[in-house]
């Protein structure tokens, strides 16, 4: 396909795009467990109005667009307050991956500046997000990937065996993505501190859930945010359960001194002084402004309401899954994520990938993951109205696929074309 010789009118283009979307997942109906998180009608209205307003703005230069500088600062301040970072400072990024890239790069720079480390190493659990491996690959760090415990939480003793004088970063997740359990952050932070390394808490999923769970009276097994000594950076995605449109995350450092290791400053080309806080150069103002507006539109009360409903829905789904003969949920998820697996002893009878295919025929979409083979569910408030229907379909599908093994074993969580 080439660019058309003669331009095409808006209505034609919109109908072409509508046709392209026919096979996309139906997130609007709450039938997708991840990827799009639906905060409801009024959140859409706010986001769409603000998106139109900031569609063309460029946050590359906040001297030209002081509004975006202010928006970024206020979003970081709101997030820092949520995560108990009294002195915390940071930046907005395009998403969890970019926030993690920034944290890894900052840890590397800090190790170089403060401990003269030239061969930096990262210690993380095998459940840590793939973005950490991407960051290490981009920035030339060696990764020590350590097996998790039987409950899928990071194994602190096993990780300690890999911490040494070259360790610049220890990673923990709150919660981790694959099974939704929270790593022992206080122990990991202590481990990082023992050699003067940075400690990153990946709260991409939990950053806009765990604080509201705490406010709403849910028990969490242990503290995980800046209240924990030794935690130096936290990533929190507003475009997940913050319910903002895609392209909005926050990376926070414990203080401004640590934040300096993230920024890139350059004054030796013919274009003048250039400073850039994150990976992007030209940077759309749209996701920044929509995130700012959505956070303020929902408010603390709204987030507690959305979070309570989300966690109750996850609990209902977890109980429903466990009640179906042949299925189980791995570990003990504390927040909004869980992994559905064949129950011990049922591996031959129940293939969760065949189950995922059967569910997809009924319009339900789970990401497939492993090892071990599981169906991933990130539950959000949009799933609440259809949770009972889902559980009924799930039970029927388990019967329907008994003994059937899916030919396709891929765990597709990718864009390769
Ligand atoms: C989603 C996620 C990321 C990566 O974030 P993107 O926004 O997809 O780039 C990192 N860590 C965890 C735990 C996540 O759930």
């Amino acid at each position: 396909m080439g660019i058309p010789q003669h331009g095409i009118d808006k209505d034609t283009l919109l109908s072409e795009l509508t046709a392209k979307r026919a096979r996309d997942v139906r997130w609007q109906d709450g039938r997708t467990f991840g990827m799009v998180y639906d905060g409801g009608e009024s959140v859409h209205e706010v986001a769409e109005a603000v998106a139109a307003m900031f569609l063309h703005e460029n946050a590359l230069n906040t001297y030209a667009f002081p509004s975006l500088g202010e928006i970024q600062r206020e979003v970081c301040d709101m997030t820092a307050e949520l995560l108990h970072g009294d002195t915390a400072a940071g930046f907005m990024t395009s998403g969890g991956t970019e926030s993690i890239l920034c944290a890894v790069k900052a840890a590397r720079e800090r190790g170089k500046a403060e401990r003269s480390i030239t061969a930096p190493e990262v210690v993380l659990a095998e459940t840590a997000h793939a973005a950490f491996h991407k960051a290490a690959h981009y920035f030339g760090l060696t990764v020590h990937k350590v097996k998790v415990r039987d409950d899928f939480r990071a194994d602190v003793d096993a990780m300690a065996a890999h911490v040494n004088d070259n360790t610049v970063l220890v990673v923990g997740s709150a919660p981790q993505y694959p099974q939704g359990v929270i790593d022992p952050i206080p122990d990991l932070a202590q481990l990082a501190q023992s050699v003067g390394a940075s400690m990153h808490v990946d709260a991409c999923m939990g950053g806009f859930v765990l604080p509201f769970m705490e406010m709403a009276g849910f028990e969490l097994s242990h503290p995980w945010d800046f209240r924990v000594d030794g935690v130096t950076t936290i990533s929190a995605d507003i475009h997940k359960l913050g319910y903002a449109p895609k392209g909005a995350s926050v990376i926070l450092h414990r203080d401004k001194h640590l934040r300096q290791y993230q920024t890139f400053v350059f004054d030796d080309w013919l274009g003048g002084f250039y400073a850039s806080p994150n990976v992007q150069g030209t940077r759309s103002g749209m996701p920044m402004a929509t995130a700012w507006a959505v956070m303020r539109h929902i408010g603390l009360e709204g987030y507690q309401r959305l979070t309570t409903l989300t966690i109750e829905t996850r609990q209902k789904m977890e109980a429903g899954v466990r009640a179906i003969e042949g299925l189980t949920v791995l570990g003990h998820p504390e927040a909004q994520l869980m992994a559905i697996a064949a129950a011990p002893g049922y591996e031959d009878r129940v293939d969760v990938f065949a189950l995922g295919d059967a569910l997809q025929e009924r319009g339900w979409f789970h990401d497939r993951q492993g090892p071990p083979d599981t169906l991933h569910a990130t539950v959000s408030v949009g799933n609440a109205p259809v949770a009972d229907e889902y559980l009924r379909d799930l039970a029927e599908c388990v019967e329907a696929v008994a003994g059937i093994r899916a030919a396709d074993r891929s765990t597709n969580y990718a864009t390769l074309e």
Side-chain angles (χ1 to χ4, degrees), residues 215-244:
M215 287 176 201
F218 289 93
E219 289 266 334
L220 295 176
S221 54
H222 53 266
W224 59 275
D225 62 14
F226 284 116
R227 282 173 290 187
V228 178
D229 253 9
V231 169
T232 52
T233 46
I234 303 180
S235 50
D237 292 353
I238 321 172
H239 70 198
K240 288 180 181 157
L241 282 265
Y243 294 103

mmCIF file of all heavy atoms in Angstrom, residues 215-244:
data_model
loop_
_atom_site.group_PDB
_atom_site.id
_atom_site.type_symbol
_atom_site.label_atom_id
_atom_site.label_comp_id
_atom_site.label_asym_id
_atom_site.label_seq_id
_atom_site.Cartn_x
_atom_site.Cartn_y
_atom_site.Cartn_z
ATOM 1 N N MET A 215 -6.184 2.421 51.568
ATOM 2 C CA MET A 215 -7.150 3.435 52.023
ATOM 3 C C MET A 215 -8.524 2.832 52.243
ATOM 4 O O MET A 215 -9.268 3.244 53.130
ATOM 5 C CB MET A 215 -7.288 4.547 50.960
ATOM 6 C CG MET A 215 -6.110 5.467 50.864
ATOM 7 S SD MET A 215 -6.379 6.641 49.477
ATOM 8 C CE MET A 215 -4.695 7.130 49.163
ATOM 9 N N ALA A 216 -8.877 1.845 51.406
ATOM 10 C CA ALA A 216 -10.222 1.254 51.486
ATOM 11 C C ALA A 216 -10.291 0.138 52.526
ATOM 12 O O ALA A 216 -11.335 -0.481 52.694
ATOM 13 C CB ALA A 216 -10.647 0.728 50.109
ATOM 14 N N GLY A 217 -9.153 -0.144 53.197
ATOM 15 C CA GLY A 217 -9.192 -1.095 54.310
ATOM 16 C C GLY A 217 -8.809 -2.525 53.971
ATOM 17 O O GLY A 217 -8.972 -3.411 54.803
ATOM 18 N N PHE A 218 -8.296 -2.766 52.748
ATOM 19 C CA PHE A 218 -7.797 -4.118 52.446
ATOM 20 C C PHE A 218 -6.442 -4.310 53.124
ATOM 21 O O PHE A 218 -5.646 -3.373 53.199
ATOM 22 C CB PHE A 218 -7.602 -4.301 50.926
ATOM 23 C CG PHE A 218 -8.887 -4.393 50.155
ATOM 24 C CD1 PHE A 218 -9.457 -3.244 49.600
ATOM 25 C CD2 PHE A 218 -9.523 -5.613 49.967
ATOM 26 C CE1 PHE A 218 -10.643 -3.310 48.881
ATOM 27 C CE2 PHE A 218 -10.712 -5.690 49.244
ATOM 28 C CZ PHE A 218 -11.267 -4.540 48.692
ATOM 29 N N GLU A 219 -6.183 -5.536 53.588
ATOM 30 C CA GLU A 219 -4.891 -5.854 54.226
ATOM 31 C C GLU A 219 -3.861 -6.190 53.155
ATOM 32 O O GLU A 219 -4.125 -6.999 52.272
ATOM 33 C CB GLU A 219 -5.047 -7.099 55.108
ATOM 34 C CG GLU A 219 -5.852 -6.898 56.365
ATOM 35 C CD GLU A 219 -4.965 -6.580 57.563
ATOM 36 O OE1 GLU A 219 -3.789 -6.980 57.537
ATOM 37 O OE2 GLU A 219 -5.471 -5.922 58.502
ATOM 38 N N LEU A 220 -2.675 -5.602 53.247
ATOM 39 C CA LEU A 220 -1.570 -6.015 52.381
ATOM 40 C C LEU A 220 -0.531 -6.706 53.253
ATOM 41 O O LEU A 220 -0.372 -6.362 54.425
ATOM 42 C CB LEU A 220 -0.951 -4.803 51.673
ATOM 43 C CG LEU A 220 -1.871 -4.082 50.682
ATOM 44 C CD1 LEU A 220 -1.187 -2.839 50.127
ATOM 45 C CD2 LEU A 220 -2.275 -5.012 49.547
ATOM 46 N N SER A 221 0.187 -7.684 52.664
ATOM 47 C CA SER A 221 1.080 -8.503 53.492
ATOM 48 C C SER A 221 2.262 -7.712 54.054
ATOM 49 O O SER A 221 2.763 -8.025 55.115
ATOM 50 C CB SER A 221 1.566 -9.706 52.688
ATOM 51 O OG SER A 221 2.140 -9.279 51.475
ATOM 52 N N HIS A 222 2.726 -6.680 53.336
ATOM 53 C CA HIS A 222 3.853 -5.904 53.844
ATOM 54 C C HIS A 222 3.964 -4.583 53.076
ATOM 55 O O HIS A 222 3.435 -4.466 51.977
ATOM 56 C CB HIS A 222 5.154 -6.695 53.718
ATOM 57 C CG HIS A 222 5.389 -7.198 52.325
ATOM 58 N ND1 HIS A 222 5.008 -8.446 51.933
ATOM 59 C CD2 HIS A 222 5.918 -6.610 51.244
ATOM 60 C CE1 HIS A 222 5.306 -8.617 50.658
ATOM 61 N NE2 HIS A 222 5.861 -7.518 50.214
ATOM 62 N N PRO A 223 4.674 -3.592 53.656
ATOM 63 C CA PRO A 223 4.839 -2.313 52.952
ATOM 64 C C PRO A 223 5.727 -2.493 51.723
ATOM 65 O O PRO A 223 6.553 -3.411 51.671
ATOM 66 C CB PRO A 223 5.501 -1.417 53.990
ATOM 67 C CG PRO A 223 6.157 -2.338 54.953
ATOM 68 C CD PRO A 223 5.338 -3.588 54.969
ATOM 69 N N TRP A 224 5.565 -1.621 50.730
ATOM 70 C CA TRP A 224 6.271 -1.825 49.463
ATOM 71 C C TRP A 224 6.695 -0.503 48.808
ATOM 72 O O TRP A 224 7.406 -0.513 47.823
ATOM 73 C CB TRP A 224 5.354 -2.565 48.487
ATOM 74 C CG TRP A 224 4.102 -1.769 48.254
ATOM 75 C CD1 TRP A 224 2.975 -1.766 49.017
ATOM 76 C CD2 TRP A 224 3.902 -0.780 47.251
ATOM 77 N NE1 TRP A 224 2.079 -0.850 48.548
ATOM 78 C CE2 TRP A 224 2.627 -0.229 47.461
ATOM 79 C CE3 TRP A 224 4.674 -0.309 46.176
ATOM 80 C CZ2 TRP A 224 2.111 0.777 46.655
ATOM 81 C CZ3 TRP A 224 4.155 0.694 45.371
ATOM 82 C CH2 TRP A 224 2.880 1.221 45.630
ATOM 83 N N ASP A 225 6.257 0.661 49.365
ATOM 84 C CA ASP A 225 6.524 1.921 48.663
ATOM 85 C C ASP A 225 7.679 2.675 49.326
ATOM 86 O O ASP A 225 8.532 2.061 49.959
ATOM 87 C CB ASP A 225 5.242 2.763 48.548
ATOM 88 C CG ASP A 225 4.680 3.172 49.903
ATOM 89 O OD1 ASP A 225 5.393 3.039 50.937
ATOM 90 O OD2 ASP A 225 3.514 3.622 49.947
ATOM 91 N N PHE A 226 7.728 4.016 49.190
ATOM 92 C CA PHE A 226 8.875 4.771 49.722
ATOM 93 C C PHE A 226 8.949 4.729 51.252
ATOM 94 O O PHE A 226 9.932 5.169 51.835
ATOM 95 C CB PHE A 226 8.847 6.223 49.227
ATOM 96 C CG PHE A 226 9.288 6.370 47.789
ATOM 97 C CD1 PHE A 226 8.403 6.828 46.816
ATOM 98 C CD2 PHE A 226 10.588 6.053 47.408
ATOM 99 C CE1 PHE A 226 8.811 6.957 45.488
ATOM 100 C CE2 PHE A 226 11.013 6.183 46.088
ATOM 101 C CZ PHE A 226 10.111 6.633 45.124
ATOM 102 N N ARG A 227 7.921 4.208 51.912
ATOM 103 C CA ARG A 227 8.024 4.015 53.359
ATOM 104 C C ARG A 227 9.077 2.971 53.699
ATOM 105 O O ARG A 227 9.551 2.902 54.833
ATOM 106 C CB ARG A 227 6.666 3.585 53.936
ATOM 107 C CG ARG A 227 5.692 4.738 54.100
ATOM 108 C CD ARG A 227 4.322 4.245 54.500
ATOM 109 N NE ARG A 227 3.668 3.522 53.405
ATOM 110 C CZ ARG A 227 2.407 3.090 53.444
ATOM 111 N NH1 ARG A 227 1.678 3.290 54.517
ATOM 112 N NH2 ARG A 227 1.875 2.463 52.416
ATOM 113 N N VAL A 228 9.423 2.143 52.722
ATOM 114 C CA VAL A 228 10.458 1.128 52.944
ATOM 115 C C VAL A 228 11.829 1.753 52.688
ATOM 116 O O VAL A 228 12.107 2.227 51.581
ATOM 117 C CB VAL A 228 10.258 -0.080 51.996
ATOM 118 C CG1 VAL A 228 11.373 -1.094 52.199
ATOM 119 C CG2 VAL A 228 8.889 -0.700 52.208
ATOM 120 N N ASP A 229 12.670 1.750 53.716
ATOM 121 C CA ASP A 229 14.038 2.247 53.596
ATOM 122 C C ASP A 229 14.771 1.520 52.491
ATOM 123 O O ASP A 229 14.676 0.306 52.396
ATOM 124 C CB ASP A 229 14.786 1.932 54.908
ATOM 125 C CG ASP A 229 15.002 3.179 55.708
ATOM 126 O OD1 ASP A 229 14.434 4.226 55.329
ATOM 127 O OD2 ASP A 229 15.726 3.088 56.715
ATOM 128 N N GLY A 230 15.507 2.276 51.693
ATOM 129 C CA GLY A 230 16.330 1.616 50.681
ATOM 130 C C GLY A 230 15.679 1.540 49.311
ATOM 131 O O GLY A 230 16.360 1.282 48.321
ATOM 132 N N VAL A 231 14.362 1.757 49.239
ATOM 133 C CA VAL A 231 13.713 1.817 47.917
ATOM 134 C C VAL A 231 14.122 3.139 47.276
ATOM 135 O O VAL A 231 13.912 4.204 47.844
ATOM 136 C CB VAL A 231 12.169 1.735 48.042
ATOM 137 C CG1 VAL A 231 11.502 2.077 46.712
ATOM 138 C CG2 VAL A 231 11.754 0.355 48.523
ATOM 139 N N THR A 232 14.731 3.076 46.095
ATOM 140 C CA THR A 232 15.225 4.311 45.460
ATOM 141 C C THR A 232 14.353 4.778 44.315
ATOM 142 O O THR A 232 14.240 5.972 44.069
ATOM 143 C CB THR A 232 16.670 4.130 44.954
ATOM 144 O OG1 THR A 232 16.729 2.961 44.142
ATOM 145 C CG2 THR A 232 17.647 4.008 46.115
ATOM 146 N N THR A 233 13.750 3.829 43.562
ATOM 147 C CA THR A 233 12.862 4.233 42.461
ATOM 148 C C THR A 233 11.603 3.368 42.464
ATOM 149 O O THR A 233 11.617 2.206 42.862
ATOM 150 C CB THR A 233 13.531 4.070 41.074
ATOM 151 O OG1 THR A 233 14.177 2.802 41.010
ATOM 152 C CG2 THR A 233 14.531 5.165 40.798
ATOM 153 N N ILE A 234 10.497 3.974 41.976
ATOM 154 C CA ILE A 234 9.235 3.240 41.798
ATOM 155 C C ILE A 234 8.629 3.649 40.454
ATOM 156 O O ILE A 234 8.599 4.838 40.116
ATOM 157 C CB ILE A 234 8.209 3.540 42.914
ATOM 158 C CG1 ILE A 234 8.789 3.217 44.303
ATOM 159 C CG2 ILE A 234 6.919 2.751 42.695
ATOM 160 C CD1 ILE A 234 7.818 3.490 45.463
ATOM 161 N N SER A 235 8.176 2.663 39.689
ATOM 162 C CA SER A 235 7.431 2.956 38.458
ATOM 163 C C SER A 235 5.954 2.655 38.695
ATOM 164 O O SER A 235 5.617 1.651 39.326
ATOM 165 C CB SER A 235 7.953 2.106 37.297
ATOM 166 O OG SER A 235 8.023 0.726 37.665
ATOM 167 N N ALA A 236 5.075 3.534 38.200
ATOM 168 C CA ALA A 236 3.629 3.363 38.377
ATOM 169 C C ALA A 236 2.926 3.826 37.096
ATOM 170 O O ALA A 236 3.132 4.965 36.670
ATOM 171 C CB ALA A 236 3.140 4.178 39.577
ATOM 172 N N ASP A 237 2.148 2.927 36.512
ATOM 173 C CA ASP A 237 1.512 3.250 35.224
ATOM 174 C C ASP A 237 0.119 3.840 35.415
ATOM 175 O O ASP A 237 -0.785 3.155 35.903
ATOM 176 C CB ASP A 237 1.398 1.992 34.357
ATOM 177 C CG ASP A 237 2.753 1.489 33.892
ATOM 178 O OD1 ASP A 237 3.760 2.184 34.125
ATOM 179 O OD2 ASP A 237 2.783 0.392 33.286
ATOM 180 N N ILE A 238 -0.038 5.082 34.966
ATOM 181 C CA ILE A 238 -1.378 5.685 35.035
ATOM 182 C C ILE A 238 -2.264 5.071 33.952
ATOM 183 O O ILE A 238 -3.471 5.022 34.082
ATOM 184 C CB ILE A 238 -1.311 7.216 34.863
ATOM 185 C CG1 ILE A 238 -0.098 7.776 35.602
ATOM 186 C CG2 ILE A 238 -2.587 7.879 35.385
ATOM 187 C CD1 ILE A 238 0.145 9.240 35.331
ATOM 188 N N HIS A 239 -1.637 4.575 32.872
ATOM 189 C CA HIS A 239 -2.457 4.012 31.783
ATOM 190 C C HIS A 239 -2.884 2.566 32.058
ATOM 191 O O HIS A 239 -3.476 1.929 31.207
ATOM 192 C CB HIS A 239 -1.776 4.167 30.421
ATOM 193 C CG HIS A 239 -0.557 3.332 30.180
ATOM 194 N ND1 HIS A 239 0.340 3.640 29.166
ATOM 195 C CD2 HIS A 239 -0.051 2.229 30.774
ATOM 196 C CE1 HIS A 239 1.307 2.733 29.156
ATOM 197 N NE2 HIS A 239 1.104 1.880 30.112
ATOM 198 N N LYS A 240 -2.603 2.068 33.255
ATOM 199 C CA LYS A 240 -3.220 0.791 33.647
ATOM 200 C C LYS A 240 -4.383 1.125 34.585
ATOM 201 O O LYS A 240 -5.310 1.762 34.169
ATOM 202 C CB LYS A 240 -2.161 -0.140 34.228
ATOM 203 C CG LYS A 240 -1.246 -0.650 33.087
ATOM 204 C CD LYS A 240 -0.175 -1.581 33.561
ATOM 205 C CE LYS A 240 0.692 -2.006 32.375
ATOM 206 N NZ LYS A 240 2.031 -2.437 32.807
ATOM 207 N N LEU A 241 -4.266 0.764 35.882
ATOM 208 C CA LEU A 241 -5.444 0.970 36.717
ATOM 209 C C LEU A 241 -5.604 2.409 37.218
ATOM 210 O O LEU A 241 -6.442 2.691 38.062
ATOM 211 C CB LEU A 241 -5.470 -0.033 37.872
ATOM 212 C CG LEU A 241 -5.929 -1.473 37.557
ATOM 213 C CD1 LEU A 241 -7.396 -1.662 37.840
ATOM 214 C CD2 LEU A 241 -5.571 -1.987 36.190
ATOM 215 N N GLY A 242 -4.768 3.329 36.665
ATOM 216 C CA GLY A 242 -5.053 4.751 36.870
ATOM 217 C C GLY A 242 -6.152 5.194 35.918
ATOM 218 O O GLY A 242 -6.663 6.300 36.007
ATOM 219 N N TYR A 243 -6.501 4.301 34.951
ATOM 220 C CA TYR A 243 -7.601 4.476 34.007
ATOM 221 C C TYR A 243 -7.410 5.617 33.010
ATOM 222 O O TYR A 243 -8.364 6.100 32.417
ATOM 223 C CB TYR A 243 -8.949 4.597 34.739
ATOM 224 C CG TYR A 243 -9.321 3.317 35.449
ATOM 225 C CD1 TYR A 243 -9.173 3.194 36.833
ATOM 226 C CD2 TYR A 243 -9.767 2.215 34.731
ATOM 227 C CE1 TYR A 243 -9.478 1.991 37.484
ATOM 228 C CE2 TYR A 243 -10.069 1.020 35.371
ATOM 229 C CZ TYR A 243 -9.928 0.916 36.737
ATOM 230 O OH TYR A 243 -10.226 -0.272 37.359
ATOM 231 N N ALA A 244 -6.149 6.054 32.812
ATOM 232 C CA ALA A 244 -5.873 7.053 31.782
ATOM 233 C C ALA A 244 -5.620 6.352 30.451
ATOM 234 O O ALA A 244 -5.234 5.180 30.427
ATOM 235 C CB ALA A 244 -4.652 7.877 32.181
#
